[in-house]
């Protein structure tokens, strides 16, 4: 026994010596992937032991490894933990750590869930938070322009409080809605809610475009779906506190201003026979007012402040933020302010139970300048009408008041009118969801979510009695609006895997939506004191109205997903929807989709091609629906606002149609995704969309009940297109990175069927729907120019002959000139050198046409000569035989023809940003800051276009006194604690 103990001791000592003999050292450097800066204090631990070190101030480390092969665990607050294998031959191991927030790059938000990137068959484009959080605007929507193929984002107005308009893959309907469905954290919202959201609170935006990704939303998904996901707390140990502030100013993005100055106006008046005499002109010749400068402010200030706290414990993660945003508009009487709070909290109460909430509270104040109509008092239209020798101010800088007889112009001094007729709006907004998830068995998740979108809006209008136009009798009005959308969603999801080859995921769900809206308005006149210009001080009511409306959806849906060996993917979805907008016999409809994806890069015969790092082929087909009409169109209705000899009466107001039902869309999509050298990613997609049973207001004779039209399911149209996108890391070294990206899309629209077998229908004086053609083509008389012999205007007849007689009978479809741009896209670049980053993003639209009605007013050629006119009338109009020009002689007034139809294509430098990230080595010495960044940026810096209006980005096919887009400059700081 003694001898055995000695032998045991001998072998133990020999083993220890052998282990010591196998010890070796590993050293290296650890940097951040975001900025290539060294990371201080990274923990490096030999897995399964207590052997470890931390990096020094330069990010360097050196560790003695005991034994043979080992695994090192690299961990750092705010970074993804990495496990790397080492052995005696390793020697030097340099590590690049990825920001924990970049884990979201590997996840794509889809309908009712998330999926790992590269595992979905559907067409989904994602915009991440870094593209959104620093936008110098009230809303995130403008930041999406040009970011993803197939998504059209047009700013309806440059006013800070107005939301942009969205379209995905063209126009799918004539009269029914063409706006996508917007989902915020599982709650459907309207685009009017965008201004309530702080862009910095958004984690990602997913644009769902094809049947595989949208059909699960069924009845509301015909125009695509935009899923907005806000930020969550992350497992980063200590809470992360972020402060962000921005300060800047706005100005006009364009300067296409071609109206006459005083000298030109005097010369013009003399030439056309409006000579007011030398005595008058001697008095005004030194007055030269540029009304664009009077109406538009080229130094409209803006400021924003944001503070957020996010973190996580073993049981709870949280993201809490608050912010203030304030921006003056560039015109008189426009401004926007917002206060917002957000709390996203999730708690794992039990191993099988998770509870959470996503809640937004916002309060907004705004003033909105009148635009879109021609009036003498509205500042934007008035800037065209006012003559340059009409000065809105006195010599001492005070307003030229009509009360004192100081205003010498026609009509009102628009600046004084705005000050005496203020309109102010307030909005109180709550968007909140509460949810619970249980996992009763492994792989099965049951989730129930209740969501609410509530807004209360008020408007207060005043017209002061002291204003001379009111004759000592003022007016005041108040309006109040309440809208509430309640949503309940229940889903059960079961996921399991067999033999690490067969992966299954099944989901069933139910959803209900209830919407209630009510509004009232009262206007009272007769106030006699400016300080008491409110409703109660009025002597009588002049206007009153109220309205209430409701609708509801009820839905049941399911989805099945399968993939074999991570190579072959298939998904199937089905949904049944019922809508209160249709009669009981046509309320329900069913929708479905099939999606397939082949990851051919993972096939054995492709593995040898190292240069190809990704290769996927996708196919999807399926249906969705559209019910975007008013809530009671299927009903025959009466109205009670009729008056007969002083007695209130009831009259028919709507014909109704109980056979009305869903508009249906069938979409087919083919996609190819390629990756090269782990540096370049390319995507191409081809789609075909067929709309049938289009919801349309069908015209009928007024003799048929006096209605003029009724809603029906008629007609069909097709949208076909291609989308291309590429993203490339051209250079990626320790100190320098360079990325470029670009996307482009083409869409072709064609109307294939109308109602009652007809081939053409004239909708307005600029539109005619024609089978076989684009629904957005213009229908007008073609302008042929000016007869150089006598200055007459010339037009083409329907047959192509030239005539000097204008007749609407000669209107024709203007081929190839559509309001909806067939071509659009964006491109940009990101460069980073040490702590300095530069990013630029461009957006563009091509072959988009708009009727410039402002030119008709400014080049009226005798129709509106009492107001200011374009200098082209002075220099370019026909004056004598032989003149070659496009403006006829004075007195030949313009007509609604193609003369003012303009190409509104544009290329715009949407955003340019330069930022500096302070090095971690410097911040580490403060023991306070985790990160710090300073940046300057410009929005809409450059615009290249042939359009002669103030801005080519217009949401209507007729450009009319629109509030133009703004160019913005901001300075910002971001601090992390």
């Amino acid at each position: 026994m003694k001898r055995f103990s000695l032998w045991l001791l001998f072998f133990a000592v020999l083993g220890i010596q052998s282990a010591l003999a196998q010890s070796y050292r590993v050293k290296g450097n650890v940097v951040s992937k975001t900025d290539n800066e060294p990371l201080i204090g990274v923990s490096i631990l030999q897995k399964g032991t207590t052997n470890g070190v931390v990096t020094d101030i330069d990010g360097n480390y050196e560790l003695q490894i005991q034994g043979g092969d080992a695994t090192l665990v690299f961990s750092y607050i705010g970074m993804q933990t990495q496990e790397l294998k080492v052995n005696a031959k390793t020697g030097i191991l340099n590590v690049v750590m990825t920001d924990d927030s970049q884990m979201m790059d590997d996840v794509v938000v889809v309908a009712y869930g998330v999926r790992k990137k590269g595992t979905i068959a559907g067409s989904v484009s994602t915009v991440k938070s870094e593209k959104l959080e620093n936008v110098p605007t009230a809303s995130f929507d403008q930041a999406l322009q040009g970011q993803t193929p197939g998504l059209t984002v047009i700013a309806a107005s440059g006013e800070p409080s107005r939301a942009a308009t969205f379209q995905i893959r063209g126009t799918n309907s004539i009269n029914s809605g063409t706006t996508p469905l917007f989902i915020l954290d599982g709650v459907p919202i309207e685009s009017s809610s965008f201004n309530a959201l702080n862009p910095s609170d958004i984690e990602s935006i997913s644009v769902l475009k094809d049947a595989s990704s949208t059909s699960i939303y069924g009845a509301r998904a015909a125009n695509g779906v935009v899923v907005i996901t806000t930020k969550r707390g992350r497992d980063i140990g200590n809470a992360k506190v972020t402060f962000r502030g921005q300060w800047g100013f706005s100005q006009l993005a364009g300067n296409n201003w071609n109206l006459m100055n005083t000298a030109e106006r005097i010369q013009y008046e003399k030439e056309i026979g409006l000579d007011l005499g030398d005595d008058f002109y001697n008095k005004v010749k030194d007055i030269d007012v540029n009304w664009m400068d009077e109406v538009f402010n080229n130094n409209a200030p803006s400021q924003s402040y944001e503070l957020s706290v996010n973190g996580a414990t073993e049981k709870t993660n949280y993201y809490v933020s608050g912010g203030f945003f304030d921006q003056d508009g560039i015109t008189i009487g426009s401004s926007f302010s917002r206060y917002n709070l957000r709390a996203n909290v999730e708690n794992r109460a039990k191993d099988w139970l998770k509870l959470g909430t996503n809640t937004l509270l916002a309060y907004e104040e705004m003033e909105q300048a009148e635009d879109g109509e021609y009036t003498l008092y509205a500042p934007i239209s008035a800037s065209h009408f006012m003559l340059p020798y009409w000065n809105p101010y006195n010599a001492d800088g005070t307003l030229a008041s009509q009360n004192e007889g100081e205003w010498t112009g026609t009509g009102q001094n628009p600046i004084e009118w705005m000050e005496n007729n203020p309109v102010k709006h307030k909005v109180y907004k709550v968007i909140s969801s509460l949810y619970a998830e249980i996992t009763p068995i492994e792989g099965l998740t049951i989730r129930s979510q209740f969501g609410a979108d509530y807004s209360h809006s008020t408007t207060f209008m005043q017209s002061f009695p002291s204003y001379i136009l009111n004759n000592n009798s003022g007016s005041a009005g108040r309006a109040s609006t309440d809208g509430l959308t309640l949503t309940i969603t229940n889903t059960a999801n079961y996921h399991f895997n067999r033999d690490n080859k067969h992966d299954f995921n099944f989901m069933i769900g139910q959803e209900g939506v209830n919407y209630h809206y009510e509004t009232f308005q009262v206007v009272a006149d007769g106030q006699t004191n400016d300080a008491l210009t409110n409703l109660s001080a009025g002597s009588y009511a002049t206007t009153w109205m109220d309205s209430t409306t409701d609708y509801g959806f009820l839905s049941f849906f399911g989805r099945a997903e399968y993939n074999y060996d991570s190579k072959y993917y298939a998904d199937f979805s089905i949904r049944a929807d019922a809508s209160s907008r249709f009669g009981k016999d046509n309320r329900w409809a069913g929708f479905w989709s099939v999606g397939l994806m082949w990851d051919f890069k993972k096939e054995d015969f492709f593995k040898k091609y190292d240069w190809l790092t990704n290769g996927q082929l996708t196919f999807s087909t399926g249906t969705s629906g559209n019910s975007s009409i008013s809530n009671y169109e299927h009903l025959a209705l009466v109205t009670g606002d009729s008056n007969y000899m002083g007695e209130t009466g009831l009259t028919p107001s709507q014909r109704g149609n109980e056979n009305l039902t869903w508009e249906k869309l069938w979409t087919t999509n083919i996609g190819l995704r390629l990756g090269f050298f782990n540096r370049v990613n390319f995507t191409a997609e081809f789609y075909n969309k067929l709309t049938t049973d289009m919801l349309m207001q069908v015209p009928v004779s007024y003799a048929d009940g006096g209605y003029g039209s009724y809603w029906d399911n008629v007609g069909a149209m097709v949208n076909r297109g291609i989308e291309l996108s590429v993203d490339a890391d051209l250079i990626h070294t320790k100190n320098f990175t360079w990325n470029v990206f670009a996307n482009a899309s083409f869409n072709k629209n064609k109307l294939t069927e109308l109602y009652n077998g007809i081939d053409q229908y004239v909708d307005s004086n600029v539109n005619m729907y024609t089978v076989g053609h684009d629904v957005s083509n213009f229908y007008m008389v073609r302008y042929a120019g000016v007869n150089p012999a006598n200055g007459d205007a010339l037009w083409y007849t329907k047959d192509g002959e030239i005539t000097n007689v204008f007749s609407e009978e000669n209107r024709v479809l203007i081929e190839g000139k559509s309001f909806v741009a067939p071509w659009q896209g964006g491109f940009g670049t990101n460069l980073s050198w040490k702590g300095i980053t530069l990013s630029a993003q461009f957006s563009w639209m091509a072959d988009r046409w708009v009727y410039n009605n402002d030119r008709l007013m400014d080049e009226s050629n005798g129709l509106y000569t009492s107001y200011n006119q374009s200098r082209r009338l002075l220099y370019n109009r026909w004056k004598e035989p032989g003149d070659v020009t496009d403006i006829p002689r004075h007195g030949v007034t313009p007509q609604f023809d193609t003369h003012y139809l303009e190409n509104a294509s544009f290329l715009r430098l949407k955003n340019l940003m330069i930022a500096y990230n302070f090095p971690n080595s410097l911040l580490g010495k403060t023991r306070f800051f985790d990160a710090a960044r300073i940046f300057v940026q410009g929005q809409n810096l450059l615009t290249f276009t042939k359009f002669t209006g103030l801005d080519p980005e217009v949401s209507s096919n007729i450009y009319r006194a629109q509030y133009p887009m703004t160019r913005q400059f901001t300075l910002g700081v971001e601090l992390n604690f």
Side-chain angles (χ1 to χ4, degrees), residues 181-189 217 220 225-229:
L181 170 66
F182 299 102
I183 302 292
L184 173 66
D185 293 329
V187 179
I189 64 172
Y217 284 110
R220 296 170 292 164
V225 183
V226 177
V227 181
I228 306 164
T229 304

Side-chain angles (χ1 to χ4, degrees), residues 896-911:
F896 212 82
D897 55 34
T898 58
H899 187 196
Y900 303 112
L901 187 60
E902 295 187 9
N903 189 339
S905 305
F906 65 87
L907 168 64
R908 174 163 274 165
L909 176 54
K910 196 65 183 176
N911 186 272

Side-chain angles (χ1 to χ4, degrees), residues 6 72 91 282 400 458 468 488 495 511 550 694 715 748 807 825 843:
L6 290 173
L72 298 187
N282 288 334
T458 64
I468 191 171
I488 181 75
H495 175 260
E511 189 167 62
D550 296 85
M694 281 194 301
K748 178 64 175 177
S807 172
S843 63

Side-chain angles (χ1 to χ4, degrees), residues 61 111 213 238 366 712 741 767 782 808 823 874 881 944 946:
Y61 74 94
S213 59
N238 296 325
M366 66 194 79
D712 202 357
F741 56 92
N767 282 106
R782 293 167 294 172
E808 291 192 352
W823 294 93
L874 178 63
F944 304 94
K946 295 180 179 180

Side-chain angles (χ1 to χ4, degrees), residues 387-688:
L387 296 182
Y389 50 71
W390 294 345
N391 197 331
Y393 297 98
N394 296 315
D396 60 1
T398 60
L399 273 176
S401 174
Q402 288 179 274
N403 288 17
E404 307 300 328
E406 298 160 339
W407 170 249
T408 59
T410 298
Q412 306 93 345
N413 180 344
I415 300 176
E416 183 187 29
W417 191 94
M418 291 294 296
E419 291 192 357
N420 283 278
N421 295 271
V423 180
K424 298 181 179 180
H425 306 270
K426 297 180 180 180
V427 178
Y428 305 81
K429 189 75 177 178
V430 179
I431 303 177
S432 181
S433 62
L434 302 171
Y435 60 90
E437 282 187 9
I438 64 172
T439 309
I441 60 174
E442 184 179 356
L444 176 62
T445 301
I446 301 173
R447 179 185 174 98
S448 183
Q449 174 172 294
F450 174 76
D453 177 4
Y454 172 72
S455 62
H456 171 67
S457 306
T458 64
T459 299
F460 182 36
M461 177 274 292
Q462 294 173 287
S463 186
F464 297 127
S466 64
Y467 188 38
I468 191 171
L469 297 183
N470 291 334
N471 295 318
N472 295 316
S473 178
S475 65
R478 287 192 181 274
S480 177
T481 299
D482 290 274
L484 175 63
T485 303
L486 300 177
T487 306
I488 181 75
T489 306
N490 300 298
T491 60
N493 195 93
Y494 185 50
H495 175 260
F496 63 95
N497 186 279
R498 290 289 181 267
D499 304 323
N500 291 322
K501 291 282 188 179
H502 304 277
D503 194 84
F504 298 89
N505 193 76
F506 298 97
M507 181 188 69
I508 59 173
Q510 174 273 328
E511 189 167 62
V513 179
N514 182 271
Y515 173 80
H516 176 77
Y517 174 90
E518 57 187 46
T519 182
F520 76 88
Q521 175 182 317
V522 178
V523 178
D525 288 0
Q527 293 83 352
T528 58
N529 189 298
D530 285 2
L532 295 174
T533 308
N534 50 38
L535 284 178
S536 59
S539 57
Y540 57 95
T542 58
T543 303
W544 56 90
M545 61 82 68
D546 70 337
S547 174
T548 302
T549 186
D550 296 85
Y551 72 79
F553 283 105
L554 178 62
S555 308
F556 299 92
F557 53 89
R559 178 169 58 202
E561 298 168 276
Y562 168 75
N563 87 73
Y564 173 73
D565 201 21
S566 298
K567 295 179 183 178
Y568 312 106
Y569 296 80
D571 63 66
F572 310 89
S573 67
I574 188 169
R575 180 165 178 137
D577 280 312
S579 171
S580 63
R581 288 172 173 165
F582 305 116
K584 61 181 181 179
D585 295 331
N586 297 286
R587 190 157 289 163
W588 285 92
F591 307 97
W592 58 271
S593 73
V594 176
L596 304 172
M597 194 261 282
W598 175 34
D599 194 337
F600 57 83
K601 170 56 183 173
K602 294 181 180 178
E603 299 287 357
D604 291 339
F605 51 84
F606 269 105
K607 289 182 178 179
K608 63 182 179 181
Y609 301 110
D610 295 336
W611 52 269
L612 183 66
T613 51
N614 182 46
Q616 295 178 337
L617 186 64
T618 67
F619 170 82
S620 68
T621 188
T623 62
S624 53
N626 191 358
S627 62
S628 300
I629 57 175
S630 298
N631 295 326
Y632 309 110
E633 294 295 347
H634 70 286
L635 296 174
L637 300 178
V638 297
T639 181
D641 60 359
S642 301
N643 185 292
Y644 182 73
M645 298 183 68
E647 295 292 333
T648 301
L650 299 177
T651 58
S653 62
Q654 184 172 290
R655 175 176 176 171
N657 180 4
E658 287 296 330
N659 294 320
L660 201 63
T661 188
W662 302 91
E663 184 175 276
K664 299 176 181 65
L665 182 76
W666 188 346
T667 302
T668 299
N669 191 90
I670 299 174
L672 177 66
R673 306 165 186 164
L674 299 174
F676 306 97
F677 305 105
N678 276 321
R679 290 289 186 90
V680 180
N681 293 296
F682 170 80
T683 300
E685 292 189 308
F686 308 84
Y687 63 86
N688 182 85

Side-chain angles (χ1 to χ4, degrees), residues 20 104 169 204 215 292 324 367 393 671 700 812 913 935:
L20 290 174
M104 289 298 295
R169 292 183 167 179
S204 68
S215 285
M292 183 176 73
F324 169 71
E367 293 183 84
Y393 297 98
V700 294
V812 297
M913 177 184 291
F935 57 90

